[in-house]
Each structure stands twice: as C-alpha cells, then as structure tokens.
Amino acid sequence: MMHQAIIHSPLLLDKKNDSTIIIILTRSNSTTVTSSDPLQKLNHKNWLAPNEVLKIFKTLRDPDSVINVLERVSQRKDYKPNETLYTLVIQKLCQSKKFYAIPEILKRIKTEKKYHCKLSDEFFYFVIKIYGNVAGYIDEAIKTLFSMPDYNCWPSIKTFNYVLNMLIAAKQYEIVHEVYLGAPKLGLVIDTCSLNILIKGLCENDKLNEAFELLNEYPKQGCMPNAKTYSTLMHCLCSNGRVDEAFQLLDRMEMEGCDPDTITFNVLISGLGKQGRVDEGIELLDRMKIKGCYPNSGSYQAVLYGILDSKKFVDAKCFMDRMILEGGFPSFLSYKLVIDGLCKENRLEDLDLVLDQMVHRGFVPKMGMWKKIVQSVLGGGKN
C-alpha cells in the first residue's frame, strides 16, 4: 500500500494514451511552518519571560505599532512591566516622533501600581532629556520633574540642574527662577552647579549686576564659586568691553582661594585680543604656565585671532610657528586669514612657507585661496 507524502519536486509523470498526467502525491502528516515574526509569540499561550518581551519590542520593524503591541502584551497573564520595558517603549515612540504619546505611557505606569514597578532617577532623566532635546516639549519636561515623587522617585540634583540648563538654552529665563525656587519641594539642596546655571542665565540676559549679587549669595547657600562661576562672569564682562574689570575679578578669584583654569585664561586672552592688546595676551599666555595651567589650542588660537584682527600677518605667521612647536594646532580659518593677508601684502616668501605648513597639517586650500595666491604671484612677477 502506497503512503501519501508531500513531494515538492520532482513531479511524477505517467504517460497514458499519449497524454501526460501529473500526479502530486501528498503526505497526510504535513509539517508546521513557523513564522520568523516575533509578534507571533504573542498569539501563543506559552509563558513569555521578560527578556523575550523586550526582544519583541527591540525587533519591531514598524515603530508606529509600539502602542498596539504594548496593549497586546498587557493583556497577557505573564505581563510584568519593568523600567527597561518602559524605556524601550519610549525609545520606539521617539523613533516614530510620537512624542505626544509619552504622557500616556507615564499615566499608564502610574495606574499599573499593582505590578510594583520601581522607576529610577535615570529613567526620568532619560524622559526629560527626550522632552527637552528632541521633542522641544519644555513644559512637559518641567511637569515630569515635579511629578517624580508621585512615582515614589525623588530627583537627583543632576536631573534638576539639567532642567535648569535646558531652560537657559531655551532662553526661558523667568521660568528658570520659578523652577529654582521649587527645589525644596523636591527635597533638593542647591549646589554650586545650580547657582552657576543661574549666573549663566543672568549674564545671557544682560543682567550682570544681578549676576554679581548672586555671586555674593554663594556662601549663604553653603556653596563656593568655582572657576566656571568666575569664567562665566569674565566672559560677560569681556563681551561688553569691560576687560579691566574682568582682570579685577581674576584678582578677587585668586584672593578667595579659587585657582583659574585654562578656560578662565582663554576668556581673558580673547578679551584682550578684541581690544587689540595682543602683547598683553601673549604675556598672559606665558603667565598661565607660571600658574601651573598649561595652555591648550584654544589659548594659542585666541592670541592668534587677536594678532590677525590687528592685521599683523607676518607676526601671525611667526606665532603659528611657535604654536605648532608648543603642541598647538592652528585652525583652517587661521591659515585662510594669514594667506589672505600675506597675499595683499605680497609677502611671497612667507606665503610659500605658510602654504607648505598648511598642507603639511592636512588642510587643502580651496579654489578661492588658490586664485588669490596665483594673483599675488603674478602681481609680484610684474613688479
């Protein structure tokens, strides 16, 4: 007796009466084809471990379906949400730009108290960062910060300061003060970083007098100003042409036992350069080393831009040699400005040296630069 079977190929051929009969034999016990789609697991009653659920969300081809998949998962008896799952869901919502759905996820977490899902400060920091940096939902970020205690989670000062900084970046200066005053409600003690952010906001809002008043409040808050505090104030002073006052603040800084860092000196050097006080900038560059604060490329670059602003292109070329010798790296813009200046002054020998140095540093002159160089060479030949 012949057993039935599935035969995909070859086909059995039987010729009768000059006609071809194709016989496809079938097997009664056909095999089951399993789908490679992870979503198919949700249709089975087999117990799904938490890592298997996470894998389903990680492999979702369509981020837009994340809410529907979450609904399906939540209907299962083995549903046990955790922070990792919620983080992954919010990531998927972010990918599909469905930021409006994030508050619903947070609301869902609050109503799912029976699962005893504990959320950490890192989770809320992540959500706030999405609201602030990606979605631009500043109000939701603030709301999330102050709702953290409702989830039995208290924010860290890092998360609080992140919101302050976010508001400064968005130029929402008035709201910054309101959030700052809400720190005690969140059980937070203000630190130096918090006050530095407020100083930054006041300086950016051209309220320098108020910024100095706040500087005097640091000890009352149990904080000490640091190099960043003073550098922010100095930058504001220099931007308003008050460079000498910035140096007075440097003296106060050192008298109060706070050592200036490289950024502090870079701010002052840049301020001197904008006033054409290049020689003082070079002296300050040397003074840094005496103070045990080694200059970086930004320090040299600040001096170099000051020399270039003074139209002293040969001096700039010489300073670039020193800069490289001491480990600095001139910018492409520096080379462009020096070459433009040397071309105008027809300093062909210096021009050749700067061009060779530029190429050696890995920069490629653009067509406009080559055009000026050729014009300078041809003009020099005529003279």
Side-chain angles (χ1 to χ4, degrees), residues 102-171:
I102 297 178
E104 290 301 316
I105 297 299
L106 295 177
K107 183 178 179 181
R108 182 191 194 105
I109 295 172
K110 194 181 295 185
T111 58
E112 292 181 338
K113 291 182 178 180
K114 63 180 181 178
Y115 296 109
H116 304 291
C117 176
K118 293 183 179 180
L119 299 176
S120 67
D121 173 70
E122 287 77 12
F123 172 80
F124 287 101
Y125 182 88
F126 161 74
V127 173
I128 290 170
K129 194 172 183 180
I130 286 179
Y131 277 141
N133 282 1
V134 185
Y137 290 3
I138 306 294
D139 291 341
E140 289 295 337
I142 298 171
K143 189 185 299 182
T144 301
L145 173 68
F146 283 97
S147 69
M148 287 176 63
D150 297 337
Y151 298 86
N152 295 319
C153 179
W154 295 86
S156 65
I157 193 65
K158 172 189 171 184
T159 301
F160 181 77
N161 288 341
Y162 180 84
V163 174
L164 291 181
N165 219 9
M166 178 182 66
L167 291 169
I168 294 296
K171 301 187 183 301

Side-chain angles (χ1 to χ4, degrees), residues 11-23:
L11 299 178
L12 299 182
L13 301 180
D14 184 18
K15 291 186 178 181
K16 291 184 179 179
N17 301 323
D18 296 327
S19 62
T20 303
I21 302 174
I22 301 176
I23 305 173

